[in-house]
Amino acid sequence: MYKARAYSAAGATSPLAPASIPRRDPADRDVRIEILFCGICHSDLHAVRNEWSEFMSTAYPIVPGHEIAGLVTKIGSAVKKFKVGDLAAVGCLVDSDRTCPRCKAGLENFCPNLRLTFGSRDDHLGGVTYGGYSDSIVVDEHFALRVPSNLDLAGAAPLLCAGITTYSPMRRYAVGKGKKVGVVGLGGLGHMAVKFADALGAQVVVFTTSPHKKEDALRLGADEVVVSRDANEMQKHAGTFDFILDAVSADHDVNAYLNLLALDGNLTLVGAPPKPLGVTAFALIFGNRSLSGSNIGGIPQTQEMLDFCGAHNITADVEVIPIQKVNEAYERLLRSDVKYRFSIDMTSLRE
Ligand SMILES: [Zn+2]
Ligand SMILES: [Zn+2]
């Protein structure tokens, strides 16, 4: 065991502050990664403030962060995938049983014995797992991903959550050439969805409530931008979409988007509005439409996504901040005052 530097919160109303946390020494199949960048995901903030206590109560102190990118500094004797000096990344999961049908299908993200990167039981040291707001992390090599060397590392870190969350449902619903794809909400998730849908060859339409986001949406790869408050503009697209990704986490009318789906069209939710959705059955019945959810992705698909990003030079649009500005960044995140993801320069932790 060794002591790592980190930023942690002591309670739901405490700011994140410097802390020292235990990390295990690498076992045979472990890699130790020096963390260079960690993205700030909205679920970091929810967990720090215990806002999802109905589903999972936060254990304090918490060290959040599951968009981790850095360099391998130490490897166990049986490690095959990495050598010292390689780039490596860690996303939302650091362990699973590896034996259940879901794990065997490469869907470790749905393993009943899944261990999340932060806030899960730590089977090695006891206590809970600590995330990426830290100078290093130790994980089994199976849960570490290879990062294409052409990618900017600050912008690559958010691919580990925002990237795979949007990439996975697009692959499931065969987004590609000849398909019309809608993206609802242009934030951390939405801006990645636009880049992926565009790179996959689809016709991309962005829905936004903010007309001032139009230019940015076009720059990111959208072919068209629709202001969703304009009923006439919405009606023009009725019944035409093969797939819509809804990344809005505020309450909104999902029926307005279901009505835009073509025959057999699918709308997938990746945002989590606080109130139940009022879905009109007829919006689904007329046209064999479906409404789905999606939750990150398994390890093989996460690697596929990173390789796809390498081939198409895709990274998140980030604002790099030192760790000392993390509490300020959380307040700005609540105001959507970031284009489009914060990436923490973790070398600032050593200052
Ligand atoms: Zn996340
Ligand atoms: Zn499993």
Side-chain angles (χ1 to χ4, degrees), residues 96-100 102-103 111-113:
S96 70
D97 58 31
R98 314 273 299 273
T99 54
C100 77
R102 290 167 173 193
C103 283
C111 175
N113 297 305

Side-chain angles (χ1 to χ4, degrees), residues 40-44 66-67 92 118 160-162 165 189 296 341:
I40 298 181
C41 173
H42 216 112
S43 49
D44 297 352
H66 59 203
E67 294 183 335
C92 303
F118 62 84
L160 277 297
C161 179
T165 298
L189 293 174
I296 50 176
R341 205 73 159 171

